Structures are given as C-alpha cells and as structure tokens.
Amino acid sequence: MTGQFYPYSDPDRIKAMVNALAAMTERDRPFTRLVFSAEYKEARAWLQTQFEQVGLECQIDAGGNLIGTRKTANTAEPPQKLIIGSHIDTVAAGGRFDGIAGVIAGLETIHFLNKQSIDLPFDIEIVDFLGEELNVWGTSCLGSRYMAGLLSDELLARSDQNGRLLSDEIEKIGGAGIAATVPRQDADKIIACLELHIEQSSRLEREGIDIGIVTDIPGISRHAISVSGSAGHSGTTRMQERKDALVTASHIVTKIRDFALEISEQDNGHFVATVGRVEVYPNGAAVIPGHVSMILDLRASNEKSRDRFLGNLKAACNEISHRESCAIGIDQTSYAGVASMDSSLRTHIARSAEGIGLSHISIASGAGHDMAHMSRIAPAAMIFIPCKEGLSHCPEEFATPEAIAKGSAVVTCTVLMLAGILFSSGT
Ligand code: HGY
Ligand code: MN
Ligand code: MN
C-alpha cells in the first residue's frame, strides 16, 4: 500500500473486520444487531477475541461496556488513561459502519503500537460502549451514560413491551445493572476520549475532504407521544362519531414537521425533529385505531429552539386533542444537552491529519454519539470520515477501507502526539 498513512493502518485488515461483523446480523433484516440481541452477544464475543488477540486485557464494566486495556509499563500508579471507543450495536436494518468503524480504528492503533513495540506513558482502553443506539427502553448511549454517571435508577427500572427489565439485560450481558450517579472513579485520570465515526452526512464526500474534526454534538431528547381515542367497527361507525387515534397522530406528526421546518430555517444551528417509530393499536384493517404510541426524536444545537419547538407542539396538541376528541400525552424519555468537543484535542487532530498529508475541516455533528456523554467527564473529540452519499442507518451505508484507514491513522498519530512521541517540539 502507498501513502504515508498506511504504516499506521491496514485497509485489508479493516475490510476483513467490517465483513466479519456484518455477518453477525438478523438474517432477514440486514444489518440489524440490536443491543442485547443474540447477534449482539455473538458479535461481542467475537470482538472480545479480537481484543485478546492483540494483547488487550478485557473486562465488562458494571455498565456493560466491553473494555480492552493495553497497559503502560509506566509504574506510576494509577496510570493515566486514553479511551478510543465507539459501538457495535446497530439500529434496525442499519448499516455496517456506524460505530463499527470506530471500534475497528481503535484496534488498528493497537496493531500499530504492538508492531512498533511502542510503550506509551498511559493505558489505552479500547471500548465498545454498550447500546449506543436508541432502544426500546426509550434511551440511547447506555454504556457511556454509565461511565459518565448518567445512568439513573429510573432508566434501569424501565421494562420494554415484552417485560424485559433494562437492568436485567445489562446484567445478562455481564454488567452489574447498577445506577451510576457519579462518573467512573478514575475519570480524573482520563486524558482523552477519541471516537472515529462515519460522518452520516455528505459534506466530506461532496467536498473531497479526508477528515472532519467535530466541533459539537447537538442536544438530543426523545419523547413518547401517546394518543388515545376509541377503537370501533370501521364499517358501522359513522364518520362524525369517530375518535380516530391514527388520524389524530397524523395531525401531530404534520405539526412536528411544520414546526421543525420553520425553526430549522430561522435558526442558524442544527435543528431536526423526526417521528420514526409508530405503533397503532389494535392495528386491524377493519378497526378504527383506538390508540397510537410514537417516539419523537428531537435534536437541536440551540436549547432555546428546542424549548420553543416543544412549547409550540404542546399548544398544537391541546388544540388537536379538543378537535379530534382524543387524549394526547407527551413524556420526555431521554435527554442529553449540547456537547462541545475539546478544543485542544481538535488542534492535535488537525496537526495529525496535516502531518500525514490529509485534508480536514471542522464540522458539527447532526448525530448523537457516546462522546456527548464522555465529554462531561473528560476531554473528548471525534474524527469523522466520509461515507457514501452521507447515507446511514440503512443497509446502503458505506465507507471505504481506505477512508477508515486514513481516519484510524489520524487516531494513532493523535495518540502518539499526546504521548509526546510524534510531531513533538513543534516540528
Ligand atoms: O441516532 C444517532 O444520532 C446515533 O446514530 N445513535
Ligand atoms: Mn453511531
Ligand atoms: Mn447510529
């Protein structure tokens, strides 16, 4: 392979890792590896073997995170830590790169350090954060919330529609399923958290840029919206007498789109709102829908815009509820504020990219990431790489092994720079 970045990473090995993980999916819904699923547990076991093969000491922490540690020979106790992590769970019918590329990039760094017999002055932890994607318990980023001390008793006590208790599921995956109201004990020893991730948008590809250095991650909240009307016979119930929960829900969804469109055009930040999950009860073709449950996924880089949107939505729901004679409930099920990435790490990443001849820009993230929570307890930074047409959360999601290799080379160079080994003394 040519190119300065190839000494640091191997596109062929990357491609093999991506393909191996891609095979661990629900058969009839590629690529689906939902947290706690059989596919997920299979992938976790496989990943732990990969960690062990490069000499990492593996553990599952109480939050269910898989952590592979490369210990420093530095005898100063307790050593400082550098975390490189992302996630291997996917959304339903998702892609092969969202999260996965970041974990593979971390392993590429370990391969390089081992090949060069480099001993760093700090431990490196390669982390597969538990359950980064939004799950049936109404929240996301389970593992990084735990590490950051943000996994509450209330979250853990939630059951899904099949009665599965979240805390039980975390215990079954090897965690302790305990609440975390304080950050991990050695948080003050964490010098940096780095995450490589596909951009999940198309700017890098469109502009032909190798690396996106993330400035911030938008605030994300999720809201359970319930609509209660009256089920009834679709053939005998007069139109004037209906309390149709699905018609009511459709008005709400249209209002969500209208308000979000209006705010996103007025606000110079990032603002999006989506209803992607809807359940109709009893969901029969000859029955007037009696109940609808849906999830609102709301993202804003400006908290005031978020509050304005929610105020508009609640007022509109009051009016719709009265007009359609259906009860409407809106409950926030998860929240994470806007997260800024560490400026000093961003400078290191820029110098690393330049040092190996890669182009880079600063870029805001539209997606949520584990680094949003990790940034509450330690300096955090993200490295974006281009993905095909910006597609993500779908089987068409794609990033080339070369793009992942370039990104992982930047991760490795940033680690070497933080260790004072590379590009030091202003060279
Ligand atoms: O949904 C998100 O923003 C991320 O992909 N979990
Ligand atoms: Mn992700
Ligand atoms: Mn995702």
Side-chain angles (χ1 to χ4, degrees):
M1 285 292 175
T2 57
Q4 300 128 303
F5 34 84
Y6 283 127
Y8 300 105
S9 54
D10 177 349
D12 295 334
R13 182 171 51 217
I14 289 168
K15 186 174 180 181
M17 296 282 281
V18 167
N19 292 340
L21 272 169
M24 299 176 218
T25 171
E26 283 182 17
R27 288 280 155 256
D28 59 353
R29 206 168 47 152
F31 298 91
T32 301
R33 190 167 52 243
L34 302 181
V35 69
F36 307 125
S37 65
E39 299 81 23
Y40 183 77
K41 290 172 182 167
E42 180 195 3
R44 262 272 168 106
W46 176 85
L47 187 63
Q48 180 155 339
T49 306
Q50 303 305 308
F51 280 14
E52 288 160 351
Q53 285 175 357
V54 293
L56 298 178
E57 283 180 27
C58 295
Q59 58 157 328
I60 304 275
D61 72 3
N65 298 300
L66 171 60
I67 303 171
T69 302
R70 185 180 195 267
K71 286 193 173 302
T72 174
N74 180 327
T75 51
E77 286 297 335
Q80 292 183 315
K81 315 258 177 180
L82 185 144
I83 292 174
I84 304 173
S86 197
H87 61 94
I88 65 168
D89 63 312
T90 72
V91 295
R96 294 170 289 161
F97 300 89
D98 171 358
I100 294 131
V103 176
I104 290 173
L107 279 173
E108 284 299 298
T109 296
I110 302 297
H111 278 290
F112 177 78
L113 294 170
N114 290 348
K115 188 174 158 194
Q116 304 294 327
S117 308
I118 293 174
D119 177 41
L120 296 174
F122 42 72
D123 287 358
I124 287 202
E125 290 183 358
I126 308 297
V127 181
D128 167 34
F129 287 103
L130 179 71
E132 189 272 351
E133 299 292 359
L134 180 58
N135 54 50
V136 290
W137 290 275
T139 186
S140 62
C141 296
L142 296 172
S144 49
R145 285 179 200 267
Y146 168 79
M147 269 199 199
L150 301 168
L151 197 63
S152 65
D153 275 324
E154 184 276 321
L155 272 177
L156 289 166
R158 289 183 188 174
S159 294
D160 73 352
Q161 65 270 35
N162 301 318
R164 295 188 305 167
L165 203 56
L166 178 54
S167 56
D168 288 350
E169 294 305 310
I170 295 176
E171 279 188 54
K172 286 181 208 163
I173 200 98
I178 54 175
T181 48
V182 291
R184 56 182 268 183
Q185 283 171 347
D186 59 355
D188 61 326
K189 289 291 178 188
I190 302 174
I191 58 169
C193 302
L194 300 175
E195 179 173 9
L196 175 143
H197 206 286
I198 55 170
E199 182 196 343
Q200 297 176 303
S201 192
S202 60
R203 185 174 169 201
L204 293 178
E205 183 187 57
R206 248 182 310 112
E207 298 181 17
I209 305 285
D210 297 311
I211 301 293
I213 303 174
V214 175
T215 54
D216 57 82
I217 298 169
I220 301 184
S221 58
R222 271 95 186 204
H223 307 261
I225 300 177
S226 63
V227 182
S228 303
S230 300
H233 195 304
S234 65
T236 57
T237 312
R238 294 180 57 242
M239 292 310 289
Q240 294 78 359
E241 292 161 6
R242 295 182 177 207
K243 296 177 181 177
D244 187 323
L246 186 53
V247 168
T248 303
S250 63
H251 289 304
I252 298 170
V253 172
T254 306
K255 280 294 180 191
I256 285 170
R257 191 278 311 271
D258 294 349
F259 290 146
L261 209 50
E262 181 193 333
I263 292 176
S264 65
E265 282 159 358
Q266 294 164 354
D267 186 331
N268 58 10
H270 184 74
F271 191 93
V272 288
T274 314
V275 174
R277 183 184 175 99
V278 179
E279 288 175 73
V280 181
Y281 182 83
N283 206 23
V287 181
I288 300 164
H291 186 82
V292 170
S293 305
M294 35 193 193
I295 300 288
L296 166 61
D297 174 292
L298 179 56
R299 315 212 180 182
S301 54
N302 173 346
E303 299 285 338
K304 287 196 175 63
S305 298
R306 175 184 170 275
D307 295 343
R308 180 154 68 95
F309 170 87
L310 287 171
N312 292 350
L313 180 61
K314 283 171 186 156
C317 284
N318 289 336
E319 190 272 324
I320 294 167
S321 171
H322 179 70
R323 191 179 71 226
E324 300 294 336
S325 305
C326 287
I328 300 171
I330 305 180
D331 293 312
Q332 181 172 289
T333 59
S334 81
Y335 170 75
V338 178
S340 298
M341 295 295 97
D342 182 79
S343 55
S344 162
L345 284 180
R346 287 169 50 194
T347 304
H348 280 90
I349 293 167
R351 288 198 54 213
S352 294
E354 289 153 13
I356 52 178
L358 298 178
S359 56
H360 63 84
I361 53 170
S362 292
I363 189 170
S365 173
H369 299 284
D370 289 306
M371 289 304 113
H373 304 288
M374 296 306 288
S375 69
R376 315 298 179 203
I377 63 168
M382 291 194 74
I383 293 155
F384 274 179
I385 60 170
C387 56
K388 189 175 78 118
E389 297 162 28
L391 296 173
S392 184
H393 282 193
C394 60
E396 295 76 20
E397 183 182 277
F398 182 76
T400 65
E402 288 70 25
I404 300 172
K406 289 176 184 175
S408 68
V410 172
V411 171
T412 300
C413 291
T414 303
V415 170
L416 295 174
M417 197 187 293
L418 289 167
I421 296 173
L422 195 58
F423 309 143
S424 55
S425 64
T427 49

